[in-house]
PDB file of all heavy atoms in Angstrom:
ATOM      1  N   SER A   1     102.624  85.463  83.691  1.00 95.00           N
ATOM      2  CA  SER A   1     101.477  84.644  83.327  1.00 95.00           C
ATOM      3  C   SER A   1     100.519  85.434  82.447  1.00 95.00           C
ATOM      4  O   SER A   1     100.552  86.669  82.409  1.00 95.00           O
ATOM      5  CB  SER A   1     100.754  84.141  84.573  1.00 95.00           C
ATOM      6  OG  SER A   1     100.237  85.228  85.310  1.00 95.00           O
ATOM      7  N   TYR A   2      99.680  84.681  81.757  1.00 96.00           N
ATOM      8  CA  TYR A   2      98.700  85.273  80.839  1.00 96.00           C
ATOM      9  C   TYR A   2      97.556  84.296  80.683  1.00 96.00           C
ATOM     10  O   TYR A   2      97.768  83.082  80.609  1.00 96.00           O
ATOM     11  CB  TYR A   2      99.363  85.532  79.482  1.00 96.00           C
ATOM     12  CG  TYR A   2      98.461  86.165  78.456  1.00 96.00           C
ATOM     13  CD1 TYR A   2      98.110  87.509  78.539  1.00 96.00           C
ATOM     14  CD2 TYR A   2      97.967  85.420  77.395  1.00 96.00           C
ATOM     15  CE1 TYR A   2      97.287  88.091  77.591  1.00 96.00           C
ATOM     16  CE2 TYR A   2      97.148  85.998  76.437  1.00 96.00           C
ATOM     17  CZ  TYR A   2      96.809  87.339  76.547  1.00 96.00           C
ATOM     18  OH  TYR A   2      95.989  87.918  75.606  1.00 96.00           O
ATOM     19  N   ARG A   3      96.336  84.813  80.647  1.00 97.00           N
ATOM     20  CA  ARG A   3      95.154  83.994  80.421  1.00 97.00           C
ATOM     21  C   ARG A   3      94.411  84.546  79.214  1.00 97.00           C
ATOM     22  O   ARG A   3      94.335  85.762  79.028  1.00 97.00           O
ATOM     23  CB  ARG A   3      94.220  84.031  81.631  1.00 97.00           C
ATOM     24  CG  ARG A   3      94.858  83.437  82.870  1.00 97.00           C
ATOM     25  CD  ARG A   3      94.006  83.630  84.089  1.00 97.00           C
ATOM     26  NE  ARG A   3      93.816  85.069  84.298  1.00 97.00           N
ATOM     27  CZ  ARG A   3      92.912  85.595  85.098  1.00 97.00           C
ATOM     28  NH1 ARG A   3      92.091  84.819  85.770  1.00 97.00           N
ATOM     29  NH2 ARG A   3      92.802  86.889  85.243  1.00 97.00           N
ATOM     30  N   TYR A   4      93.866  83.635  78.407  1.00 95.00           N
ATOM     31  CA  TYR A   4      93.076  84.093  77.269  1.00 95.00           C
ATOM     32  C   TYR A   4      91.926  83.142  77.000  1.00 95.00           C
ATOM     33  O   TYR A   4      91.971  81.974  77.349  1.00 95.00           O
ATOM     34  CB  TYR A   4      93.950  84.271  76.022  1.00 95.00           C
ATOM     35  CG  TYR A   4      94.558  83.013  75.452  1.00 95.00           C
ATOM     36  CD1 TYR A   4      93.945  82.331  74.410  1.00 95.00           C
ATOM     37  CD2 TYR A   4      95.765  82.523  75.943  1.00 95.00           C
ATOM     38  CE1 TYR A   4      94.514  81.182  73.873  1.00 95.00           C
ATOM     39  CE2 TYR A   4      96.338  81.383  75.411  1.00 95.00           C
ATOM     40  CZ  TYR A   4      95.703  80.719  74.380  1.00 95.00           C
ATOM     41  OH  TYR A   4      96.270  79.589  73.855  1.00 95.00           O
ATOM     42  N   ARG A   5      90.905  83.715  76.385  1.00 95.00           N
ATOM     43  CA  ARG A   5      89.703  82.940  76.079  1.00 95.00           C
ATOM     44  C   ARG A   5      89.907  82.190  74.759  1.00 95.00           C
ATOM     45  O   ARG A   5      90.454  82.721  73.809  1.00 95.00           O
ATOM     46  CB  ARG A   5      88.498  83.852  75.983  1.00 95.00           C
ATOM     47  CG  ARG A   5      88.224  84.550  77.312  1.00 95.00           C
ATOM     48  CD  ARG A   5      86.794  84.975  77.426  1.00 95.00           C
ATOM     49  NE  ARG A   5      86.574  85.752  78.628  1.00 95.00           N
ATOM     50  CZ  ARG A   5      86.213  85.236  79.797  1.00 95.00           C
ATOM     51  NH1 ARG A   5      86.027  83.941  79.918  1.00 95.00           N
ATOM     52  NH2 ARG A   5      86.031  86.017  80.848  1.00 95.00           N
ATOM     53  N   PHE A   6      89.453  80.963  74.749  1.00 90.00           N
ATOM     54  CA  PHE A   6      89.590  80.107  73.584  1.00 90.00           C
ATOM     55  C   PHE A   6      88.261  79.958  72.851  1.00 90.00           C
ATOM     56  O   PHE A   6      88.226  79.771  71.652  1.00 90.00           O
ATOM     57  CB  PHE A   6      90.110  78.739  74.038  1.00 90.00           C
ATOM     58  CG  PHE A   6      90.441  77.810  72.925  1.00 90.00           C
ATOM     59  CD1 PHE A   6      91.576  78.009  72.153  1.00 90.00           C
ATOM     60  CD2 PHE A   6      89.623  76.733  72.635  1.00 90.00           C
ATOM     61  CE1 PHE A   6      91.884  77.138  71.111  1.00 90.00           C
ATOM     62  CE2 PHE A   6      89.927  75.860  71.603  1.00 90.00           C
ATOM     63  CZ  PHE A   6      91.066  76.075  70.846  1.00 90.00           C
ATOM     64  N   HIS A   7      87.170  80.070  73.591  1.00 94.00           N
ATOM     65  CA  HIS A   7      85.825  79.871  73.046  1.00 94.00           C
ATOM     66  C   HIS A   7      85.111  81.209  72.876  1.00 94.00           C
ATOM     67  O   HIS A   7      85.327  82.139  73.640  1.00 94.00           O
ATOM     68  CB  HIS A   7      85.004  78.964  73.972  1.00 94.00           C
ATOM     69  CG  HIS A   7      85.617  77.618  74.173  1.00 94.00           C
ATOM     70  ND1 HIS A   7      85.553  76.620  73.229  1.00 94.00           N
ATOM     71  CD2 HIS A   7      86.341  77.102  75.202  1.00 94.00           C
ATOM     72  CE1 HIS A   7      86.177  75.551  73.670  1.00 94.00           C
ATOM     73  NE2 HIS A   7      86.668  75.816  74.866  1.00 94.00           N
ATOM     74  N   PRO A   8      84.209  81.302  71.889  1.00 94.00           N
ATOM     75  CA  PRO A   8      83.454  82.547  71.680  1.00 94.00           C
ATOM     76  C   PRO A   8      82.449  82.782  72.817  1.00 94.00           C
ATOM     77  O   PRO A   8      82.056  81.834  73.509  1.00 94.00           O
ATOM     78  CB  PRO A   8      82.739  82.311  70.340  1.00 94.00           C
ATOM     79  CG  PRO A   8      82.676  80.835  70.191  1.00 94.00           C
ATOM     80  CD  PRO A   8      83.871  80.272  70.907  1.00 94.00           C
ATOM     81  N   PRO A   9      82.012  84.037  73.010  1.00 95.00           N
ATOM     82  CA  PRO A   9      81.105  84.369  74.111  1.00 95.00           C
ATOM     83  C   PRO A   9      79.808  83.552  74.138  1.00 95.00           C
ATOM     84  O   PRO A   9      79.274  83.278  75.207  1.00 95.00           O
ATOM     85  CB  PRO A   9      80.790  85.852  73.889  1.00 95.00           C
ATOM     86  CG  PRO A   9      81.914  86.364  73.072  1.00 95.00           C
ATOM     87  CD  PRO A   9      82.400  85.207  72.244  1.00 95.00           C
ATOM     88  N   GLU A  10      79.316  83.128  72.983  1.00 96.00           N
ATOM     89  CA  GLU A  10      78.061  82.377  72.958  1.00 96.00           C
ATOM     90  C   GLU A  10      78.236  80.901  73.342  1.00 96.00           C
ATOM     91  O   GLU A  10      77.260  80.181  73.539  1.00 96.00           O
ATOM     92  CB  GLU A  10      77.377  82.487  71.588  1.00 96.00           C
ATOM     93  CG  GLU A  10      78.185  81.961  70.429  1.00 96.00           C
ATOM     94  CD  GLU A  10      79.212  82.943  69.852  1.00 96.00           C
ATOM     95  OE1 GLU A  10      79.357  84.059  70.363  1.00 96.00           O
ATOM     96  OE2 GLU A  10      79.873  82.548  68.879  1.00 96.00           O
ATOM     97  N   SER A  11      79.458  80.460  73.473  1.00 96.00           N
ATOM     98  CA  SER A  11      79.731  79.059  73.803  1.00 96.00           C
ATOM     99  C   SER A  11      79.500  78.779  75.296  1.00 96.00           C
ATOM    100  O   SER A  11      79.857  79.595  76.148  1.00 96.00           O
ATOM    101  CB  SER A  11      81.185  78.722  73.463  1.00 96.00           C
ATOM    102  OG  SER A  11      81.522  77.450  73.959  1.00 96.00           O
ATOM    103  N   PRO A  12      78.955  77.608  75.624  1.00 96.00           N
ATOM    104  CA  PRO A  12      78.832  77.237  77.036  1.00 96.00           C
ATOM    105  C   PRO A  12      80.200  77.023  77.692  1.00 96.00           C
ATOM    106  O   PRO A  12      80.311  77.009  78.907  1.00 96.00           O
ATOM    107  CB  PRO A  12      78.027  75.935  77.013  1.00 96.00           C
ATOM    108  CG  PRO A  12      77.939  75.501  75.598  1.00 96.00           C
ATOM    109  CD  PRO A  12      78.357  76.638  74.720  1.00 96.00           C
ATOM    110  N   SER A  13      81.247  76.887  76.880  1.00 97.00           N
ATOM    111  CA  SER A  13      82.612  76.701  77.397  1.00 97.00           C
ATOM    112  C   SER A  13      83.392  78.009  77.494  1.00 97.00           C
ATOM    113  O   SER A  13      84.608  77.998  77.710  1.00 97.00           O
ATOM    114  CB  SER A  13      83.375  75.728  76.494  1.00 97.00           C
ATOM    115  OG  SER A  13      82.751  74.470  76.489  1.00 97.00           O
ATOM    116  N   PHE A  14      82.721  79.141  77.346  1.00 97.00           N
ATOM    117  CA  PHE A  14      83.378  80.456  77.340  1.00 97.00           C
ATOM    118  C   PHE A  14      84.255  80.674  78.572  1.00 97.00           C
ATOM    119  O   PHE A  14      85.291  81.324  78.488  1.00 97.00           O
ATOM    120  CB  PHE A  14      82.323  81.557  77.234  1.00 97.00           C
ATOM    121  CG  PHE A  14      82.883  82.944  77.126  1.00 97.00           C
ATOM    122  CD1 PHE A  14      83.619  83.341  76.010  1.00 97.00           C
ATOM    123  CD2 PHE A  14      82.664  83.875  78.133  1.00 97.00           C
ATOM    124  CE1 PHE A  14      84.117  84.631  75.903  1.00 97.00           C
ATOM    125  CE2 PHE A  14      83.168  85.165  78.030  1.00 97.00           C
ATOM    126  CZ  PHE A  14      83.893  85.545  76.913  1.00 97.00           C
ATOM    127  N   GLU A  15      83.849  80.145  79.724  1.00 97.00           N
ATOM    128  CA  GLU A  15      84.601  80.354  80.958  1.00 97.00           C
ATOM    129  C   GLU A  15      85.826  79.446  81.065  1.00 97.00           C
ATOM    130  O   GLU A  15      86.652  79.626  81.955  1.00 97.00           O
ATOM    131  CB  GLU A  15      83.696  80.169  82.171  1.00 97.00           C
ATOM    132  CG  GLU A  15      82.631  81.256  82.244  1.00 97.00           C
ATOM    133  CD  GLU A  15      81.681  81.075  83.409  1.00 97.00           C
ATOM    134  OE1 GLU A  15      81.382  79.916  83.780  1.00 97.00           O
ATOM    135  OE2 GLU A  15      81.227  82.102  83.945  1.00 97.00           O
ATOM    136  N   ARG A  16      85.959  78.491  80.167  1.00 97.00           N
ATOM    137  CA  ARG A  16      87.157  77.631  80.139  1.00 97.00           C
ATOM    138  C   ARG A  16      88.207  78.328  79.289  1.00 97.00           C
ATOM    139  O   ARG A  16      88.058  78.465  78.082  1.00 97.00           O
ATOM    140  CB  ARG A  16      86.821  76.262  79.555  1.00 97.00           C
ATOM    141  CG  ARG A  16      85.864  75.487  80.437  1.00 97.00           C
ATOM    142  CD  ARG A  16      85.672  74.105  79.940  1.00 97.00           C
ATOM    143  NE  ARG A  16      86.934  73.381  80.171  1.00 97.00           N
ATOM    144  CZ  ARG A  16      87.208  72.196  79.653  1.00 97.00           C
ATOM    145  NH1 ARG A  16      86.344  71.595  78.891  1.00 97.00           N
ATOM    146  NH2 ARG A  16      88.352  71.619  79.899  1.00 97.00           N
ATOM    147  N   CYS A  17      89.253  78.777  79.929  1.00 97.00           N
ATOM    148  CA  CYS A  17      90.284  79.575  79.258  1.00 97.00           C
ATOM    149  C   CYS A  17      91.627  78.857  79.322  1.00 97.00           C
ATOM    150  O   CYS A  17      91.795  77.875  80.036  1.00 97.00           O
ATOM    151  CB  CYS A  17      90.395  80.943  79.935  1.00 97.00           C
ATOM    152  SG  CYS A  17      88.859  81.884  79.864  1.00 97.00           S
ATOM    153  N   ILE A  18      92.580  79.390  78.567  1.00 96.00           N
ATOM    154  CA  ILE A  18      93.938  78.868  78.589  1.00 96.00           C
ATOM    155  C   ILE A  18      94.766  79.766  79.505  1.00 96.00           C
ATOM    156  O   ILE A  18      94.728  80.992  79.390  1.00 96.00           O
ATOM    157  CB  ILE A  18      94.580  78.896  77.178  1.00 96.00           C
ATOM    158  CG1 ILE A  18      93.702  78.194  76.153  1.00 96.00           C
ATOM    159  CG2 ILE A  18      95.995  78.317  77.214  1.00 96.00           C
ATOM    160  CD1 ILE A  18      93.554  76.717  76.328  1.00 96.00           C
ATOM    161  N   GLY A  19      95.486  79.148  80.409  1.00 96.00           N
ATOM    162  CA  GLY A  19      96.388  79.879  81.289  1.00 96.00           C
ATOM    163  C   GLY A  19      97.816  79.454  80.995  1.00 96.00           C
ATOM    164  O   GLY A  19      98.115  78.253  80.935  1.00 96.00           O
ATOM    165  N   LEU A  20      98.682  80.422  80.772  1.00 97.00           N
ATOM    166  CA  LEU A  20     100.096  80.148  80.534  1.00 97.00           C
ATOM    167  C   LEU A  20     100.918  80.807  81.640  1.00 97.00           C
ATOM    168  O   LEU A  20     100.582  81.905  82.100  1.00 97.00           O
ATOM    169  CB  LEU A  20     100.545  80.726  79.187  1.00 97.00           C
ATOM    170  CG  LEU A  20      99.876  80.167  77.937  1.00 97.00           C
ATOM    171  CD1 LEU A  20     100.239  81.009  76.719  1.00 97.00           C
ATOM    172  CD2 LEU A  20     100.293  78.722  77.723  1.00 97.00           C
ATOM    173  N   ALA A  21     101.987  80.160  82.057  1.00 96.00           N
ATOM    174  CA  ALA A  21     102.929  80.731  83.022  1.00 96.00           C
ATOM    175  C   ALA A  21     104.323  80.375  82.537  1.00 96.00           C
ATOM    176  O   ALA A  21     104.533  79.295  81.973  1.00 96.00           O
ATOM    177  CB  ALA A  21     102.678  80.161  84.413  1.00 96.00           C
ATOM    178  N   TRP A  22     105.284  81.286  82.722  1.00 97.00           N
ATOM    179  CA  TRP A  22     106.621  81.011  82.216  1.00 97.00           C
ATOM    180  C   TRP A  22     107.698  81.740  82.989  1.00 97.00           C
ATOM    181  O   TRP A  22     107.439  82.704  83.697  1.00 97.00           O
ATOM    182  CB  TRP A  22     106.726  81.354  80.729  1.00 97.00           C
ATOM    183  CG  TRP A  22     106.573  82.811  80.406  1.00 97.00           C
ATOM    184  CD1 TRP A  22     107.569  83.739  80.268  1.00 97.00           C
ATOM    185  CD2 TRP A  22     105.351  83.519  80.183  1.00 97.00           C
ATOM    186  NE1 TRP A  22     107.039  84.973  79.965  1.00 97.00           N
ATOM    187  CE2 TRP A  22     105.676  84.859  79.914  1.00 97.00           C
ATOM    188  CE3 TRP A  22     104.004  83.146  80.181  1.00 97.00           C
ATOM    189  CZ2 TRP A  22     104.705  85.826  79.642  1.00 97.00           C
ATOM    190  CZ3 TRP A  22     103.053  84.111  79.917  1.00 97.00           C
ATOM    191  CH2 TRP A  22     103.407  85.428  79.651  1.00 97.00           C
ATOM    192  N   CYS A  23     108.924  81.250  82.838  1.00 97.00           N
ATOM    193  CA  CYS A  23     110.120  81.861  83.421  1.00 97.00           C
ATOM    194  C   CYS A  23     110.979  82.378  82.276  1.00 97.00           C
ATOM    195  O   CYS A  23     111.432  81.588  81.441  1.00 97.00           O
ATOM    196  CB  CYS A  23     110.904  80.840  84.242  1.00 97.00           C
ATOM    197  SG  CYS A  23     112.518  81.476  84.790  1.00 97.00           S
ATOM    198  N   SER A  24     111.193  83.675  82.236  1.00 95.00           N
ATOM    199  CA  SER A  24     112.024  84.269  81.183  1.00 95.00           C
ATOM    200  C   SER A  24     113.476  83.849  81.315  1.00 95.00           C
ATOM    201  O   SER A  24     114.189  83.767  80.318  1.00 95.00           O
ATOM    202  CB  SER A  24     111.942  85.801  81.252  1.00 95.00           C
ATOM    203  OG  SER A  24     110.631  86.229  81.033  1.00 95.00           O
ATOM    204  N   GLY A  25     113.929  83.596  82.523  1.00 95.00           N
ATOM    205  CA  GLY A  25     115.319  83.212  82.744  1.00 95.00           C
ATOM    206  C   GLY A  25     115.628  81.813  82.237  1.00 95.00           C
ATOM    207  O   GLY A  25     116.611  81.593  81.535  1.00 95.00           O
ATOM    208  N   CYS A  26     114.790  80.865  82.582  1.00 96.00           N
ATOM    209  CA  CYS A  26     115.007  79.466  82.184  1.00 96.00           C
ATOM    210  C   CYS A  26     114.384  79.120  80.838  1.00 96.00           C
ATOM    211  O   CYS A  26     114.680  78.079  80.272  1.00 96.00           O
ATOM    212  CB  CYS A  26     114.427  78.525  83.247  1.00 96.00           C
ATOM    213  SG  CYS A  26     115.296  78.574  84.813  1.00 96.00           S
ATOM    214  N   ARG A  27     113.494  79.993  80.341  1.00 97.00           N
ATOM    215  CA  ARG A  27     112.775  79.781  79.082  1.00 97.00           C
ATOM    216  C   ARG A  27     111.936  78.506  79.135  1.00 97.00           C
ATOM    217  O   ARG A  27     111.852  77.745  78.194  1.00 97.00           O
ATOM    218  CB  ARG A  27     113.729  79.751  77.884  1.00 97.00           C
ATOM    219  CG  ARG A  27     114.700  80.902  77.798  1.00 97.00           C
ATOM    220  CD  ARG A  27     114.312  82.045  77.015  1.00 97.00           C
ATOM    221  NE  ARG A  27     114.036  81.768  75.628  1.00 97.00           N
ATOM    222  CZ  ARG A  27     113.582  82.692  74.821  1.00 97.00           C
ATOM    223  NH1 ARG A  27     113.381  83.898  75.266  1.00 97.00           N
ATOM    224  NH2 ARG A  27     113.315  82.418  73.581  1.00 97.00           N
ATOM    225  N   VAL A  28     111.293  78.298  80.271  1.00 97.00           N
ATOM    226  CA  VAL A  28     110.412  77.157  80.471  1.00 97.00           C
ATOM    227  C   VAL A  28     109.004  77.700  80.708  1.00 97.00           C
ATOM    228  O   VAL A  28     108.835  78.793  81.251  1.00 97.00           O
ATOM    229  CB  VAL A  28     110.891  76.281  81.653  1.00 97.00           C
ATOM    230  CG1 VAL A  28     110.889  77.037  82.959  1.00 97.00           C
ATOM    231  CG2 VAL A  28     110.097  75.002  81.761  1.00 97.00           C
ATOM    232  N   TYR A  29     107.994  76.940  80.268  1.00 97.00           N
ATOM    233  CA  TYR A  29     106.626  77.384  80.465  1.00 97.00           C
ATOM    234  C   TYR A  29     105.707  76.199  80.698  1.00 97.00           C
ATOM    235  O   TYR A  29     106.063  75.051  80.448  1.00 97.00           O
ATOM    236  CB  TYR A  29     106.132  78.213  79.273  1.00 97.00           C
ATOM    237  CG  TYR A  29     105.795  77.406  78.038  1.00 97.00           C
ATOM    238  CD1 TYR A  29     104.484  77.042  77.768  1.00 97.00           C
ATOM    239  CD2 TYR A  29     106.787  77.010  77.145  1.00 97.00           C
ATOM    240  CE1 TYR A  29     104.170  76.312  76.633  1.00 97.00           C
ATOM    241  CE2 TYR A  29     106.477  76.276  76.017  1.00 97.00           C
ATOM    242  CZ  TYR A  29     105.167  75.928  75.767  1.00 97.00           C
ATOM    243  OH  TYR A  29     104.859  75.198  74.650  1.00 97.00           O
ATOM    244  N   SER A  30     104.515  76.512  81.196  1.00 96.00           N
ATOM    245  CA  SER A  30     103.483  75.506  81.349  1.00 96.00           C
ATOM    246  C   SER A  30     102.157  76.130  80.944  1.00 96.00           C
ATOM    247  O   SER A  30     102.013  77.352  80.930  1.00 96.00           O
ATOM    248  CB  SER A  30     103.418  74.988  82.791  1.00 96.00           C
ATOM    249  OG  SER A  30     103.115  76.049  83.673  1.00 96.00           O
ATOM    250  N   GLY A  31     101.225  75.290  80.592  1.00 95.00           N
ATOM    251  CA  GLY A  31      99.908  75.759  80.194  1.00 95.00           C
ATOM    252  C   GLY A  31      98.843  74.812  80.695  1.00 95.00           C
ATOM    253  O   GLY A  31      99.086  73.615  80.851  1.00 95.00           O
ATOM    254  N   SER A  32      97.675  75.375  80.980  1.00 95.00           N
ATOM    255  CA  SER A  32      96.570  74.542  81.452  1.00 95.00           C
ATOM    256  C   SER A  32      95.246  75.250  81.205  1.00 95.00           C
ATOM    257  O   SER A  32      95.212  76.445  80.905  1.00 95.00           O
ATOM    258  CB  SER A  32      96.731  74.233  82.945  1.00 95.00           C
ATOM    259  OG  SER A  32      96.695  75.444  83.685  1.00 95.00           O
ATOM    260  N   MET A  33      94.165  74.493  81.348  1.00 96.00           N
ATOM    261  CA  MET A  33      92.832  75.083  81.286  1.00 96.00           C
ATOM    262  C   MET A  33      92.570  75.721  82.640  1.00 96.00           C
ATOM    263  O   MET A  33      92.879  75.133  83.679  1.00 96.00           O
ATOM    264  CB  MET A  33      91.778  74.013  81.008  1.00 96.00           C
ATOM    265  CG  MET A  33      91.877  73.364  79.651  1.00 96.00           C
ATOM    266  SD  MET A  33      91.664  74.510  78.271  1.00 96.00           S
ATOM    267  CE  MET A  33      89.943  74.880  78.374  1.00 96.00           C
ATOM    268  N   VAL A  34      92.011  76.935  82.620  1.00 97.00           N
ATOM    269  CA  VAL A  34      91.675  77.643  83.846  1.00 97.00           C
ATOM    270  C   VAL A  34      90.264  78.204  83.723  1.00 97.00           C
ATOM    271  O   VAL A  34      89.777  78.428  82.614  1.00 97.00           O
ATOM    272  CB  VAL A  34      92.678  78.782  84.152  1.00 97.00           C
ATOM    273  CG1 VAL A  34      94.078  78.235  84.409  1.00 97.00           C
ATOM    274  CG2 VAL A  34      92.719  79.799  83.028  1.00 97.00           C
ATOM    275  N   HIS A  35      89.621  78.416  84.833  1.00 98.00           N
ATOM    276  CA  HIS A  35      88.273  78.991  84.840  1.00 98.00           C
ATOM    277  C   HIS A  35      88.391  80.501  85.019  1.00 98.00           C
ATOM    278  O   HIS A  35      89.086  80.978  85.920  1.00 98.00           O
ATOM    279  CB  HIS A  35      87.446  78.405  85.976  1.00 98.00           C
ATOM    280  CG  HIS A  35      86.077  78.997  86.052  1.00 98.00           C
ATOM    281  ND1 HIS A  35      85.796  80.109  86.809  1.00 98.00           N
ATOM    282  CD2 HIS A  35      84.926  78.652  85.442  1.00 98.00           C
ATOM    283  CE1 HIS A  35      84.523  80.415  86.678  1.00 98.00           C
ATOM    284  NE2 HIS A  35      83.964  79.547  85.846  1.00 98.00           N
ATOM    285  N   VAL A  36      87.735  81.253  84.141  1.00 97.00           N
ATOM    286  CA  VAL A  36      87.649  82.710  84.258  1.00 97.00           C
ATOM    287  C   VAL A  36      86.169  83.050  84.116  1.00 97.00           C
ATOM    288  O   VAL A  36      85.546  82.708  83.107  1.00 97.00           O
ATOM    289  CB  VAL A  36      88.483  83.433  83.168  1.00 97.00           C
ATOM    290  CG1 VAL A  36      88.314  84.937  83.277  1.00 97.00           C
ATOM    291  CG2 VAL A  36      89.948  83.046  83.261  1.00 97.00           C
ATOM    292  N   SER A  37      85.621  83.719  85.115  1.00 97.00           N
ATOM    293  CA  SER A  37      84.188  84.013  85.090  1.00 97.00           C
ATOM    294  C   SER A  37      83.810  84.794  83.839  1.00 97.00           C
ATOM    295  O   SER A  37      84.598  85.570  83.296  1.00 97.00           O
ATOM    296  CB  SER A  37      83.764  84.767  86.342  1.00 97.00           C
ATOM    297  OG  SER A  37      84.352  86.046  86.352  1.00 97.00           O
ATOM    298  N   ARG A  38      82.611  84.570  83.403  1.00 96.00           N
ATOM    299  CA  ARG A  38      82.084  85.173  82.178  1.00 96.00           C
ATOM    300  C   ARG A  38      82.187  86.695  82.203  1.00 96.00           C
ATOM    301  O   ARG A  38      82.466  87.328  81.197  1.00 96.00           O
ATOM    302  CB  ARG A  38      80.630  84.731  82.001  1.00 96.00           C
ATOM    303  CG  ARG A  38      80.023  85.113  80.683  1.00 96.00           C
ATOM    304  CD  ARG A  38      78.689  84.424  80.468  1.00 96.00           C
ATOM    305  NE  ARG A  38      78.812  83.020  80.096  1.00 96.00           N
ATOM    306  CZ  ARG A  38      79.073  82.599  78.858  1.00 96.00           C
ATOM    307  NH1 ARG A  38      79.230  83.451  77.888  1.00 96.00           N
ATOM    308  NH2 ARG A  38      79.169  81.311  78.592  1.00 96.00           N
ATOM    309  N   GLY A  39      82.005  87.307  83.360  1.00 96.00           N
ATOM    310  CA  GLY A  39      82.011  88.761  83.470  1.00 96.00           C
ATOM    311  C   GLY A  39      83.395  89.392  83.515  1.00 96.00           C
ATOM    312  O   GLY A  39      83.540  90.609  83.362  1.00 96.00           O
ATOM    313  N   GLN A  40      84.434  88.606  83.710  1.00 97.00           N
ATOM    314  CA  GLN A  40      85.785  89.154  83.794  1.00 97.00           C
ATOM    315  C   GLN A  40      86.340  89.407  82.399  1.00 97.00           C
ATOM    316  O   GLN A  40      86.332  88.528  81.545  1.00 97.00           O
ATOM    317  CB  GLN A  40      86.714  88.218  84.556  1.00 97.00           C
ATOM    318  CG  GLN A  40      88.085  88.816  84.775  1.00 97.00           C
ATOM    319  CD  GLN A  40      88.954  87.944  85.674  1.00 97.00           C
ATOM    320  OE1 GLN A  40      88.503  86.948  86.220  1.00 97.00           O
ATOM    321  NE2 GLN A  40      90.198  88.324  85.814  1.00 97.00           N
ATOM    322  N   VAL A  41      86.812  90.623  82.183  1.00 96.00           N
ATOM    323  CA  VAL A  41      87.386  91.000  80.896  1.00 96.00           C
ATOM    324  C   VAL A  41      88.886  90.697  80.938  1.00 96.00           C
ATOM    325  O   VAL A  41      89.576  91.092  81.870  1.00 96.00           O
ATOM    326  CB  VAL A  41      87.146  92.494  80.601  1.00 96.00           C
ATOM    327  CG1 VAL A  41      87.823  92.906  79.309  1.00 96.00           C
ATOM    328  CG2 VAL A  41      85.655  92.798  80.557  1.00 96.00           C
TER     329      VAL A  41
END
């Protein structure tokens, strides 16, 4: 899995991030919006 920020730090949506999860064996993945606190790097 991997999470990344989509919005810049000054945005009120900064804590709304993209979360991806995948299986290397089946080559299938899913993605969704996830909450990551502003202070988490």
Side-chain angles (χ1 to χ4, degrees):
S1 63
Y2 181 74
R3 297 173 300 165
Y4 66 96
R5 298 204 186 269
F6 186 73
H7 301 283
E10 60 277 2
S11 171
S13 298
F14 184 66
E15 293 178 326
R16 294 187 70 192
C17 299
I18 307 293
L20 297 170
W22 65 94
C23 172
S24 298
C26 292
R27 310 267 301 175
V28 62
Y29 75 97
S30 61
S32 62
M33 294 298 289
V34 296
H35 178 270
V36 177
S37 67
R38 188 169 284 279
Q40 186 173 354
V41 176

